[in-house]
Amino acid sequence: MGIKNGDARTGLSTAWGRLKWPLLLAAVLLCALAVVVAGMVPGVLAPKPSPSIPSWQQSPSALAGSSAVQPLDANAPMPVQADVTKLLEETLKPSGSGSITGVVLDAATGKVLFDRDAAANRIPASNMKLLTAVAALKALGPETRFTTRVLGTDDPHTVVLAGGGDVLLGGGASDPSAVLGHAGLATLAADTAASLKNAGIKGPVTVQVDDSLFSGAPLNPAWSLGDVAAGETAPLYSLALNSGRYSPTTTTGPRPQDSAVTTAQAFAEQLAAAGVEVGSGVERGKGLPAKLLASAESATVSEQVDHMLQTSDNFLAEALGRLTAAASGRKATYDGATAAVRERLGELGIASDSMELADVSGLALENQVSARQFAEVVRAITSGPDLSLRAALDGFPVAGLTGTLDDRYVDPSTAQGAGLVRAKTGTLNTVIALSGYVVDADGRLLVFSFIGNGLEPGAAGNKVAMDRSASVLAACGCRG
């Protein structure tokens, strides 16, 4: 049945009548909603007003002049000795028994600004590492690396892990960005496995270790056996994992007593993980230099020196001392290390005849060095003519921020030195030392050394006294 035109118009009109009121209602609702949204969210439907942005949040219209770290001003006024002395006499006082010697020097000229028995020999604790640092940098060079090798022997089924002085080996893959673990046993084992495979060597492989680079007694007789048992250090060998620790995250407690064998055992495990059948046990032996299977290089001497100073690592300090001895044409023994350190200090013009050196890490109570000698070493690092020593600058812990000073300079009387003082710490039972450098309020670079001996064990006031003394130097505008 067809539909007439009139019927069609009537049908459409009726349909529109049914729809127009819902549509009109929807339109009204949409308009109302738009008004609400516009009121709630400015800028959605309305013009966006100009925001009021603080000037410090706005993009600069031009580059400003630098006001950050500037070169030292050679014409900065030098502090007056009497004023510096007056300040330090008020702060540099032991808490209880004992005494504190000290010295402050102007870095540029060497002028003495404070002197309290500065020439007197004292037990320096870990400030000894400053002497080791400059000797190692001078003898070895900042960019030198130590190589750990895997060598073949006359027996194709025997490989030798040969220590080259790297005691910061890691157990995993080599990490080029790290100091501890820069060379890793997993990478060394994978490279060794590839060499064995290429040579067609199958069947059980015996792992030996060659630690002959260092000679003499592994344990220094000047050390307290109690300190060794507590893990302050350990018998020294020419290769070690984690600076003579079981784990890179473990910094206290007992250590492996034969780091060479422990490292070789860990290497054997990594070799097995790389698909090599490995025999049981590890032996000492020597490989043939011409049969190099794999090798891995350590972090640089500069990086290791900085790590040693930041963390006050006794084991690493002694290793660097032995390597300094070898580079100086001496036997790589404890005595060779102390002799080499003394020799290198002499080359820098630092008088060392009065020093008594029993080790190069500072654990030995027989060490005797003066505050003046430490200040001269710091001055050689900051301002001396041998530019290779500048590599040690980053190793000084920053007050309240890094290394062994990260938890100090929080006392209100010392807070003004936080972030400004950079110094090497030293702590034994009755000994506290602090040697470093600071730029004073007038822009003058000062070096200092404070050494306390015979102190009351555990008296917190002694560290505060030294920290406060370094802090007043940072705040000093001592021009009279």
Side-chain angles (χ1 to χ4, degrees):
M1 180 175 64
I3 300 176
K4 295 181 179 178
N5 289 340
D7 294 334
R9 286 195 296 271
T10 303
L12 289 172
S13 177
T14 303
W16 168 243
R18 295 193 193 103
L19 292 172
K20 68 178 180 179
W21 288 109
L23 289 174
L24 287 172
L25 180 60
V28 171
L29 291 174
L30 285 173
C31 289
L33 180 61
V35 171
V36 172
V37 171
M40 293 177 62
V41 186
V44 174
L45 296 177
K48 188 174 183 179
S50 299
S52 177
I53 302 176
S55 60
W56 55 270
Q57 287 186 340
Q58 298 181 26
S59 300
S61 58
L63 293 176
S66 173
S67 60
V69 178
Q70 299 285 350
L72 291 173
D73 182 359
N75 297 316
M78 186 182 299
V80 175
Q81 181 176 1
D83 291 348
V84 176
T85 298
K86 181 179 179 181
L87 283 173
L88 294 184
E89 289 295 351
E90 295 174 355
T91 59
L92 199 60
K93 300 175 181 178
S95 177
S97 58
S99 62
I100 302 176
T101 62
V103 67
V104 179
L105 305 177
D106 176 63
T109 65
K111 180 179 178 180
V112 177
L113 302 175
F114 171 76
D115 184 333
R116 182 194 289 170
D117 296 328
N121 265 354
R122 309 284 277 176
I123 303 169
S126 281
N127 271 206
M128 276 294 301
K129 294 180 178 71
L130 289 170
L131 311 187
T132 306
V134 297
L137 288 169
K138 190 163 183 61
L140 298 164
E143 299 306 313
T144 296
R145 299 177 187 270
F146 312 124
T147 305
T148 304
R149 295 178 172 85
V150 181
L151 304 173
T153 68
D154 289 333
D155 179 356
H157 291 88
T158 298
V159 299
V160 178
L161 181 67
D166 186 2
V167 298
L168 301 181
L169 290 165
S174 296
D175 183 354
S177 66
V179 179
L180 184 66
H182 187 93
L185 293 185
T187 300
L188 196 59
D191 292 345
T192 302
S195 291
L196 293 173
K197 182 178 180 180
N198 290 338
I201 298 173
K202 300 179 181 179
V205 171
T206 298
V207 174
Q208 296 183 342
V209 61
D210 179 359
D211 59 357
S212 60
L213 179 63
F214 293 171
S215 55
L219 195 63
N220 192 326
W223 292 336
S224 161
L225 293 180
D227 285 340
V228 176
E232 294 296 330
T233 192
L236 188 67
Y237 297 89
S238 60
L239 73 167
L241 280 170
N242 312 312
S243 198
R245 293 282 188 189
Y246 286 108
S247 164
T249 59
T250 301
T251 58
T252 59
R255 296 172 178 254
Q257 295 302 291
D258 190 330
S259 64
V261 168
T262 300
T263 304
Q265 289 170 339
F267 173 72
E269 292 172 3
Q270 290 290 355
L271 203 56
V276 176
E277 185 181 352
V278 179
S280 61
V282 170
E283 309 167 351
R284 278 189 161 83
K286 288 192 176 184
L288 300 177
K291 290 189 177 181
L292 179 64
L293 300 177
S295 64
E297 291 191 330
S298 71
T300 65
V301 167
S302 172
E303 292 167 331
Q304 295 198 42
V305 162
D306 287 348
H307 181 81
M308 171 190 70
L309 295 177
Q310 282 282 333
T311 62
S312 203
D313 190 320
N314 294 317
F315 194 88
L316 176 58
E318 295 296 341
L320 289 172
R322 296 280 192 106
L323 292 162
T324 298
S328 303
R330 299 178 181 275
K331 292 182 178 180
T333 63
Y334 287 113
D335 288 343
T338 55
V341 167
R342 189 189 299 274
E343 176 188 351
R344 297 298 177 171
L345 292 175
E347 292 174 0
L348 292 170
I350 299 171
S352 60
D353 290 347
S354 62
M355 293 180 180
E356 297 178 19
L357 306 182
D359 70 11
V360 296
S361 61
L363 271 179
L365 293 174
E366 288 86 345
N367 290 319
Q368 292 283 319
V369 185
S370 71
R372 179 60 187 263
Q373 287 164 327
F374 280 114
E376 291 291 357
V377 167
V378 177
R379 185 172 172 235
I381 293 171
T382 62
S383 315
D386 190 337
L387 299 182
S388 69
L389 304 187
R390 300 290 191 275
L393 286 172
D394 286 344
F396 285 80
V398 180
L401 294 175
T402 64
T404 54
L405 285 181
D406 66 348
D407 60 350
R408 290 167 60 169
Y409 291 78
V410 295
D411 183 278
S413 66
T414 65
Q416 61 187 344
L420 300 177
V421 174
R422 301 197 66 154
K424 178 70 194 79
T425 58
T427 307
L428 291 172
N429 194 32
T430 61
V431 177
I432 296 178
L434 191 71
S435 299
Y437 62 95
V438 66
V439 177
D440 74 4
D442 288 327
R444 197 81 187 183
L445 180 63
L446 310 178
V447 301
F448 62 89
S449 179
F450 309 134
I451 307 176
N453 277 192
L455 303 175
E456 182 179 332
N462 289 318
K463 286 184 179 178
V464 173
M466 291 193 178
D467 293 348
R468 186 183 299 129
S469 298
S471 294
V472 299
L473 291 178
C476 180
C478 305
R479 290 180 281 176

